[in-house]
Amino acid sequence: MQTVEPQDEHRWLQQLLGNWTYESNCSPDKPDEVFKGSETFRSIGDLWVVGESTSEMPGGGASTMQITLGFDPQKGRFVGTWLGSMMAMIWTYEGFLDDSRKILTLESEGPSFSGDGTTAKYRDIVELRSPTERLFYSKVLGADGSWTEFMKARYQKI
């Protein structure tokens, strides 16, 4: 197997490394609920980053989430996964940077909010505001073809 040399996209992911705190609003089908948490990103070599976060769930109870991100040069896309202690599904990502190289859009498919067994398309978006601030928000694609934001978090590096 041939060793992969880090590319600009791999270096972009290194900006996520470190310890962060966050406050998030989540409202898929009810009034906004706010929760706080913390996240630590570490690298696995020069090609991958892994983030693990903990928080209280809206309505109570602790949660742990993990995200892995890398860049696949053959696909020309960012790739990754997300999982949470509150669900039995692992989400898989493919994504891209915008032209400003400040916004990473990660696309996935998973259970819809309808609860009827159908799936929906989702976007999780990482927006680097500065070396110490980033946003993370999630959107779902509606039947009308529009994207609706249902979660937003603001992160501060500590």
Side-chain angles (χ1 to χ4, degrees):
M1 178 178 276
Q2 187 175 16
T3 302
V4 174
E5 291 297 319
Q7 299 190 6
D8 287 341
E9 292 83 359
H10 297 110
R11 287 184 279 282
W12 188 93
L13 291 169
Q14 301 295 312
Q15 298 174 87
L16 300 173
L17 300 179
N19 297 313
W20 301 79
T21 59
Y22 65 91
E23 186 171 291
S24 179
N25 294 9
C26 185
S27 61
D29 56 0
K30 54 188 160 208
D32 270 358
E33 296 184 73
V34 177
F35 56 101
K36 296 179 180 184
S38 62
E39 181 173 57
T40 299
F41 261 98
R42 63 184 174 83
S43 65
I44 298 179
D46 294 327
L47 304 177
W48 295 94
V49 297
V50 176
E52 185 167 315
S53 59
T54 57
S55 73
E56 289 295 314
M57 291 288 296
S63 65
T64 301
M65 289 84 52
Q66 188 169 36
I67 186 170
T68 59
L69 294 171
F71 180 77
D72 184 331
Q74 287 189 315
K75 289 183 177 181
R77 307 261 298 169
F78 286 84
V79 293
T81 60
W82 184 94
L83 60 88
S85 61
M86 72 295 289
M87 63 180 62
M89 179 181 166
I90 188 167
W91 296 74
T92 58
Y93 288 133
E94 281 201 18
F96 55 91
L97 280 175
D98 74 336
D99 290 339
S100 75
R101 299 187 62 80
K102 298 279 186 201
I103 299 173
L104 173 61
T105 300
L106 301 164
E107 299 177 318
S108 191
E109 189 166 331
S112 71
F113 287 121
S114 68
D116 62 4
T118 60
T119 62
K121 293 184 184 221
Y122 293 89
R123 285 185 172 164
D124 285 346
I125 299 163
V126 178
E127 180 180 343
L128 294 178
R129 294 272 184 87
S130 76
T132 60
E133 180 186 10
R134 65 184 162 95
L135 299 178
F136 183 91
Y137 39 102
S138 296
K139 296 181 177 187
V140 62
L141 183 62
D144 64 356
S146 66
W147 290 95
T148 301
E149 183 177 297
F150 64 89
M151 191 280 293
K152 186 172 197 170
R154 181 176 176 267
Y155 289 76
Q156 289 291 306
K157 194 173 244 185
I158 52 176

